[in-house]
Amino acid sequence: MLPWNPHHVRRSVAAALLAVAVALVPATTARADDAPSRGWNDYSCKPSTAHPRPVVLVHGTFGNAVDNWLGLAPYLVARGYCVYSLDYGRLPGVPFFHGLGPIEKSAGELDAFVDKVLAATGAAEADLVGHSQGGMMPRHYLKFLGGAAEVNALVGIAPDNHGTTLGGLTALLPYFPGAEDLLTTATPALADQIAGSAFLNRLNAGGDTVPGVRYTVLATRYDQVVTPYRSGFLEGPNVRNVLLQDLCPVDLSEHLAIGLFDRIAFHEVANALDPANARPTTCAAAFS
């Protein structure tokens, strides 16, 4: 029988959680400054009468401003939107994989980026679309940093608004002394997203929403990262919670697919951005 070493166990648990998260994220090869050549982050773009607000895309944990949006950004640009994306939550010495820093700090980075986009476009408000952490983190900006005055709508794609249990894995952390502290130190955003974290308790205290902002949550029953998947749904006025399989029962998209390339989800994002001209989302939207 091998001797039990709590230090090794703590490191193994943290490494396992990181490995699970990395395994659920596609390989990253592009940089944010590649984005303009792909049709977005064009600061000369002026919003049209049909689409008067710029759209800011907020990537998820381990994502970045390009790879997370290789599907949705061109989809929205082709429909006449001015589209922008940012990198946030970067850790020193960790290239490409972002969204790992403290979420409160990341919300401040989003605040500054929205200010930059509004100044460049001349728009009074922006719309936000975020995947995973990127659908939840903006709520801190809206609630605590004055974002409600700058944002018309927040669309969350598989957001972890009330945290995640990672299919029950997070329940094991208390059995490994120091594991949570190690996780908090190494990757603060991962610790912040565990159901019941201090960050999430403060974010959700007093209600999920703030006045003046429209909220849409798009979830999939096959989400293996945000568990249970219904924990992403919000309660409050001006909220629309949508289960992808209610739109197309045969859509099998999980946590990554719903944000990266699912055109049925993209169609519903477009509806949320322009509800006055929304068209029914069905399985046929995959070919639109």
Side-chain angles (χ1 to χ4, degrees):
M1 183 176 180
L2 294 174
W4 182 75
N5 186 320
H7 176 68
H8 291 164
V9 171
R10 289 195 298 268
R11 293 191 61 174
S12 296
V13 170
L17 288 170
L18 285 171
V20 168
V22 171
L24 297 174
V25 179
T28 306
T29 57
R31 299 183 323 196
D33 55 9
D34 292 332
S37 66
R38 300 178 184 274
W40 76 97
N41 280 349
D42 176 3
Y43 286 90
S44 67
C45 185
K46 297 301 179 183
S48 65
T49 301
H51 302 304
R53 292 176 298 276
V55 177
V56 174
L57 304 178
V58 190
H59 65 73
T61 308
F62 288 103
N64 64 51
V66 177
D67 288 0
N68 213 141
W69 305 118
L70 292 173
L72 182 59
Y75 182 95
L76 294 176
V77 168
R79 284 154 179 77
Y81 288 92
C82 294
V83 180
Y84 304 86
S85 62
L86 77 156
D87 284 317
Y88 71 86
R90 287 168 284 195
L91 293 180
V94 181
F96 304 126
F97 299 104
H98 305 317
L100 296 172
I103 296 181
E104 288 188 17
K105 182 178 178 181
S106 294
E109 295 176 33
L110 175 61
D111 185 3
F113 187 79
V114 171
D115 288 345
K116 176 182 176 181
V117 168
L118 294 181
T121 60
E125 292 182 312
D127 289 328
L128 308 180
V129 179
H131 179 218
S132 193
Q133 180 192 162
M136 174 271 289
M137 175 270 280
R139 293 178 49 230
H140 183 89
Y141 158 53
L142 298 178
K143 190 170 187 178
F144 299 113
L145 303 179
E150 301 176 327
V151 173
N152 167 71
L154 169 61
V155 184
I157 305 172
D160 51 347
N161 283 313
H162 298 94
T164 180
T165 66
L166 275 179
L169 284 176
T170 59
L172 299 177
L173 287 174
Y175 294 97
F176 299 95
E180 289 186 74
D181 292 338
L182 180 60
L183 195 64
T184 300
T185 301
T187 51
L190 293 182
D192 285 345
Q193 292 175 83
I194 294 175
S197 72
F199 170 81
L200 287 169
N201 287 342
R202 180 169 181 253
L203 177 64
N204 294 315
D208 292 346
T209 64
V210 296
V213 179
R214 289 188 296 104
Y215 297 82
T216 301
V217 174
L218 187 56
T220 172
R221 69 170 70 254
Y222 303 113
D223 200 319
Q224 79 283 40
V225 175
V226 178
T227 59
Y229 71 85
R230 290 188 178 278
S231 66
F233 289 155
L234 296 171
E235 294 184 4
N238 296 320
V239 170
R240 182 168 182 258
N241 293 312
V242 181
L243 182 62
L244 187 63
Q245 286 71 35
D246 287 343
L247 306 176
C248 178
V250 297
D251 194 317
L252 302 179
S253 288
E254 37 62 67
H255 187 77
L256 287 182
I258 190 176
L260 296 184
F261 54 76
D262 190 317
R263 291 177 71 90
I264 297 169
F266 294 175
H267 188 274
E268 192 61 18
V269 169
N271 280 347
L273 294 175
D274 187 10
N277 295 295
R279 294 177 293 114
T281 301
T282 67
C283 296
F287 307 100
S288 64

Coordinates of all heavy atoms in Angstrom, one line a residue, residues 83-134:
V83 N -19.6 43.7 -34.7 CA -19.3 42.6 -33.7 C -17.9 42.8 -33.1 O -17.0 43.1 -33.9 CB -19.5 41.2 -34.3 CG1 -19.2 40.1 -33.3 CG2 -20.9 41.1 -34.9
Y84 N -17.8 42.6 -31.8 CA -16.5 42.8 -31.1 C -16.3 41.7 -30.1 O -17.3 41.2 -29.6 CB -16.4 44.2 -30.4 CG -16.7 45.3 -31.4 CD1 -18.0 45.7 -31.7 CD2 -15.6 45.9 -32.1 CE1 -18.2 46.7 -32.6 CE2 -15.9 46.9 -33.0 CZ -17.2 47.4 -33.2 OH -17.4 48.4 -34.1
S85 N -15.1 41.3 -29.9 CA -14.8 40.3 -28.8 C -13.5 40.7 -28.1 O -12.6 41.4 -28.6 CB -14.6 38.9 -29.5 OG -13.5 38.9 -30.4
L86 N -13.4 40.3 -26.9 CA -12.3 40.6 -26.0 C -11.7 39.4 -25.4 O -12.3 38.4 -25.3 CB -12.7 41.6 -24.9 CG -13.5 41.0 -23.7 CD1 -13.3 41.9 -22.5 CD2 -14.9 40.8 -24.0
D87 N -10.4 39.5 -25.0 CA -9.8 38.6 -24.1 C -9.9 39.1 -22.7 O -9.6 40.3 -22.5 CB -8.3 38.4 -24.5 CG -8.1 37.5 -25.7 OD1 -8.8 36.5 -25.8 OD2 -7.3 37.9 -26.5
Y88 N -10.2 38.3 -21.7 CA -10.2 38.7 -20.3 C -9.8 37.6 -19.4 O -9.6 36.4 -19.9 CB -11.7 39.1 -20.0 CG -12.6 37.9 -19.9 CD1 -12.7 37.2 -18.7 CD2 -13.4 37.5 -21.0 CE1 -13.6 36.1 -18.6 CE2 -14.2 36.4 -20.9 CZ -14.3 35.7 -19.7 OH -15.1 34.6 -19.6
G89 N -9.5 37.9 -18.2 CA -9.1 36.9 -17.2 C -7.8 36.2 -17.5 O -7.7 35.0 -17.3
R90 N -6.9 36.9 -18.1 CA -5.6 36.3 -18.4 C -4.7 36.2 -17.2 O -4.7 37.1 -16.3 CB -4.8 37.2 -19.4 CG -5.5 37.1 -20.8 CD -4.9 38.1 -21.8 NE -5.5 39.4 -21.5 CZ -5.5 40.4 -22.4 NH1 -4.9 40.3 -23.5 NH2 -6.1 41.6 -22.1
L91 N -4.0 35.1 -17.1 CA -3.1 34.8 -16.0 C -1.6 35.0 -16.5 O -1.3 34.6 -17.7 CB -3.2 33.4 -15.4 CG -4.5 33.1 -14.7 CD1 -4.5 31.7 -14.2 CD2 -4.8 34.1 -13.5
P92 N -0.7 35.5 -15.7 CA 0.7 35.7 -16.1 C 1.3 34.4 -16.6 O 1.1 33.3 -15.9 CB 1.4 36.2 -14.9 CG 0.3 36.8 -14.0 CD -1.0 36.0 -14.3
G93 N 1.9 34.4 -17.7 CA 2.6 33.2 -18.2 C 1.7 32.2 -18.9 O 2.2 31.1 -19.2
V94 N 0.4 32.5 -19.0 CA -0.5 31.5 -19.6 C -1.1 32.1 -20.9 O -2.0 32.9 -20.9 CB -1.7 31.2 -18.7 CG1 -2.6 30.1 -19.3 CG2 -1.2 30.6 -17.3
P95 N -0.5 31.8 -22.1 CA -1.0 32.3 -23.3 C -2.2 31.6 -23.8 O -2.5 30.4 -23.5 CB 0.2 32.1 -24.3 CG 0.8 30.8 -23.7 CD 0.6 30.9 -22.2
F96 N -3.0 32.2 -24.6 CA -4.1 31.7 -25.4 C -5.3 31.2 -24.5 O -6.5 31.5 -24.9 CB -3.7 30.4 -26.2 CG -2.6 30.7 -27.1 CD1 -1.4 29.9 -27.1 CD2 -2.7 31.7 -28.0 CE1 -0.4 30.2 -28.0 CE2 -1.6 32.0 -28.9 CZ -0.5 31.2 -28.9
F97 N -5.1 30.6 -23.4 CA -6.2 30.1 -22.5 C -6.5 31.2 -21.5 O -5.8 31.4 -20.5 CB -5.8 28.8 -21.8 CG -5.5 27.7 -22.8 CD1 -4.2 27.3 -23.0 CD2 -6.5 27.0 -23.5 CE1 -3.9 26.3 -23.9 CE2 -6.3 26.0 -24.4 CZ -5.0 25.6 -24.6
H98 N -7.7 31.8 -21.7 CA -8.0 32.9 -20.8 C -9.3 32.6 -20.0 O -9.8 31.5 -20.0 CB -8.2 34.2 -21.6 CG -7.0 34.5 -22.5 ND1 -5.7 34.4 -22.0 CD2 -6.9 34.9 -23.8 CE1 -4.8 34.7 -23.0 NE2 -5.5 35.0 -24.1
G99 N -9.8 33.7 -19.3 CA -11.0 33.5 -18.5 C -10.7 32.7 -17.2 O -11.5 32.0 -16.7
L100 N -9.4 32.8 -16.7 CA -9.0 32.1 -15.6 C -8.8 32.9 -14.3 O -8.7 32.4 -13.2 CB -7.7 31.3 -15.9 CG -7.8 30.3 -17.0 CD1 -6.4 29.8 -17.3 CD2 -8.6 29.1 -16.5
G101 N -8.7 34.2 -14.5 CA -8.5 35.1 -13.4 C -9.8 35.4 -12.6 O -10.8 34.9 -13.0
P102 N -9.6 36.1 -11.5 CA -10.8 36.4 -10.6 C -11.9 37.0 -11.4 O -11.7 38.0 -12.2 CB -10.3 37.4 -9.6 CG -8.8 37.1 -9.5 CD -8.4 36.8 -10.9
I103 N -13.1 36.5 -11.3 CA -14.2 37.0 -12.1 C -14.6 38.4 -11.9 O -15.0 39.2 -12.8 CB -15.5 36.0 -12.0 CG1 -15.1 34.6 -12.5 CG2 -16.7 36.6 -12.8 CD1 -16.2 33.6 -12.4
E104 N -14.5 38.9 -10.7 CA -14.8 40.3 -10.4 C -13.8 41.2 -11.2 O -14.2 42.2 -11.8 CB -14.6 40.6 -8.9 CG -15.7 40.1 -8.1 CD -15.6 40.6 -6.6 OE1 -14.9 41.6 -6.4 OE2 -16.3 40.0 -5.8
K105 N -12.5 40.8 -11.3 CA -11.6 41.6 -12.1 C -11.9 41.5 -13.6 O -11.8 42.5 -14.3 CB -10.2 41.1 -11.9 CG -9.1 41.8 -12.6 CD -7.7 41.3 -12.3 CE -6.7 42.1 -13.1 NZ -5.3 41.6 -12.8
S106 N -12.3 40.3 -14.0 CA -12.7 40.1 -15.4 C -13.9 41.0 -15.8 O -13.9 41.6 -16.9 CB -13.1 38.7 -15.7 OG -11.9 37.8 -15.6
A107 N -14.8 41.2 -14.9 CA -16.0 42.0 -15.1 C -15.5 43.5 -15.3 O -16.1 44.2 -16.1 CB -17.0 41.9 -14.0
G108 N -14.5 43.9 -14.6 CA -14.0 45.2 -14.8 C -13.3 45.4 -16.2 O -13.4 46.4 -16.8
E109 N -12.7 44.3 -16.7 CA -12.1 44.4 -18.0 C -13.2 44.5 -19.1 O -13.1 45.2 -20.1 CB -11.3 43.1 -18.2 CG -10.0 43.0 -17.3 CD -9.3 41.7 -17.5 OE1 -9.3 41.2 -18.6 OE2 -8.7 41.2 -16.5
L110 N -14.3 43.8 -18.8 CA -15.5 43.9 -19.8 C -16.0 45.3 -19.8 O -16.3 45.8 -20.8 CB -16.5 42.9 -19.4 CG -17.8 42.9 -20.2 CD1 -17.6 42.7 -21.6 CD2 -18.9 42.0 -19.6
D111 N -16.1 45.9 -18.6 CA -16.6 47.2 -18.5 C -15.8 48.2 -19.3 O -16.3 49.0 -20.1 CB -16.6 47.7 -17.0 CG -17.2 49.0 -16.7 OD1 -17.7 49.7 -17.7 OD2 -17.1 49.5 -15.6
A112 N -14.5 48.1 -19.2 CA -13.6 49.0 -20.0 C -13.7 48.7 -21.5 O -13.7 49.6 -22.3 CB -12.1 48.8 -19.5
F113 N -13.9 47.4 -21.9 CA -14.0 47.1 -23.3 C -15.3 47.6 -23.9 O -15.3 48.1 -25.0 CB -13.9 45.6 -23.5 CG -13.9 45.1 -24.9 CD1 -12.7 45.2 -25.6 CD2 -15.0 44.7 -25.6 CE1 -12.6 44.8 -26.9 CE2 -14.9 44.3 -26.9 CZ -13.7 44.3 -27.6
V114 N -16.4 47.5 -23.1 CA -17.7 48.0 -23.6 C -17.6 49.5 -23.8 O -18.1 50.1 -24.8 CB -18.8 47.7 -22.7 CG1 -20.1 48.4 -23.1 CG2 -19.1 46.2 -22.7
D115 N -16.9 50.2 -22.9 CA -16.7 51.7 -23.0 C -16.0 52.0 -24.3 O -16.3 52.9 -25.0 CB -15.9 52.2 -21.8 CG -16.7 52.2 -20.5 OD1 -18.0 52.1 -20.6 OD2 -16.1 52.4 -19.5
K116 N -15.0 51.2 -24.6 CA -14.2 51.4 -25.8 C -15.0 51.2 -27.1 O -15.0 52.0 -28.0 CB -13.0 50.4 -25.8 CG -12.1 50.4 -27.1 CD -11.0 49.3 -27.0 CE -10.2 49.3 -28.2 NZ -9.2 48.2 -28.2
V117 N -15.9 50.1 -27.1 CA -16.7 49.9 -28.2 C -17.8 51.0 -28.4 O -18.0 51.4 -29.5 CB -17.4 48.5 -28.1 CG1 -18.5 48.3 -29.1 CG2 -16.4 47.4 -28.2
L118 N -18.4 51.4 -27.3 CA -19.4 52.5 -27.4 C -18.8 53.8 -27.9 O -19.4 54.5 -28.7 CB -20.0 52.7 -26.1 CG -20.9 51.5 -25.5 CD1 -21.5 51.9 -24.2 CD2 -22.0 51.1 -26.5
A119 N -17.6 54.1 -27.5 CA -16.9 55.3 -27.9 C -16.6 55.2 -29.4 O -16.7 56.2 -30.2 CB -15.6 55.5 -27.1
A120 N -16.2 54.0 -29.9 CA -15.8 53.9 -31.3 C -17.0 53.9 -32.2 O -17.0 54.4 -33.3 CB -15.0 52.6 -31.5
T121 N -18.1 53.3 -31.8 CA -19.3 53.2 -32.6 C -20.3 54.3 -32.5 O -21.1 54.5 -33.3 CB -20.0 51.9 -32.3 OG1 -20.4 51.9 -30.9 CG2 -19.1 50.7 -32.6
G122 N -20.2 55.1 -31.4 CA -21.1 56.2 -31.1 C -22.4 55.7 -30.6 O -23.4 56.5 -30.5
A123 N -22.6 54.4 -30.3 CA -23.8 53.9 -29.8 C -24.0 54.2 -28.3 O -23.0 54.3 -27.6 CB -23.9 52.3 -30.0
A124 N -25.2 54.2 -27.9 CA -25.5 54.5 -26.5 C -25.5 53.3 -25.6 O -25.2 53.3 -24.4 CB -26.9 55.2 -26.3
E125 N -25.8 52.1 -26.3 CA -25.8 50.8 -25.5 C -25.2 49.7 -26.4 O -25.2 49.9 -27.7 CB -27.2 50.5 -25.2 CG -27.9 51.3 -24.1 CD -29.3 50.8 -23.8 OE1 -30.0 50.6 -24.7 OE2 -29.6 50.7 -22.6
A126 N -24.8 48.7 -25.8 CA -24.3 47.5 -26.5 C -25.2 46.3 -26.1 O -26.0 46.3 -25.1 CB -22.9 47.2 -26.1
D127 N -25.1 45.2 -26.9 CA -25.7 44.0 -26.5 C -24.6 43.0 -26.3 O -23.5 43.0 -27.0 CB -26.6 43.4 -27.6 CG -27.9 44.2 -27.8 OD1 -28.4 44.7 -26.8 OD2 -28.4 44.3 -28.9
L128 N -24.7 42.1 -25.3 CA -23.7 41.2 -24.9 C -24.1 39.8 -25.2 O -25.3 39.4 -24.9 CB -23.3 41.3 -23.4 CG -23.0 42.7 -22.8 CD1 -22.7 42.6 -21.4 CD2 -21.8 43.3 -23.6
V129 N -23.2 39.0 -25.7 CA -23.5 37.5 -26.0 C -22.3 36.8 -25.4 O -21.2 37.0 -25.8 CB -23.7 37.2 -27.4 CG1 -23.9 35.7 -27.6 CG2 -24.8 38.0 -28.1
G130 N -22.6 35.9 -24.4 CA -21.5 35.2 -23.8 C -21.7 33.7 -23.7 O -22.9 33.3 -23.6
H131 N -20.6 33.0 -23.8 CA -20.7 31.5 -23.7 C -20.1 31.1 -22.4 O -19.0 31.5 -22.0 CB -19.9 30.9 -24.8 CG -19.8 29.4 -24.9 ND1 -18.7 28.7 -25.2 CD2 -20.8 28.5 -24.5 CE1 -19.0 27.4 -25.1 NE2 -20.2 27.2 -24.7
S132 N -20.8 30.2 -21.7 CA -20.3 29.6 -20.4 C -20.1 30.7 -19.4 O -21.0 31.5 -19.1 CB -19.1 28.7 -20.7 OG -18.8 27.9 -19.6
Q133 N -18.8 30.8 -18.8 CA -18.5 31.9 -17.9 C -18.8 33.2 -18.5 O -19.3 34.2 -17.8 CB -17.0 31.9 -17.5 CG -16.7 33.0 -16.5 CD -15.2 33.1 -16.3 OE1 -14.7 34.2 -15.8 NE2 -14.4 32.1 -16.7
G134 N -18.7 33.3 -19.8 CA -18.9 34.6 -20.5 C -20.4 35.0 -20.5 O -20.7 36.2 -20.8

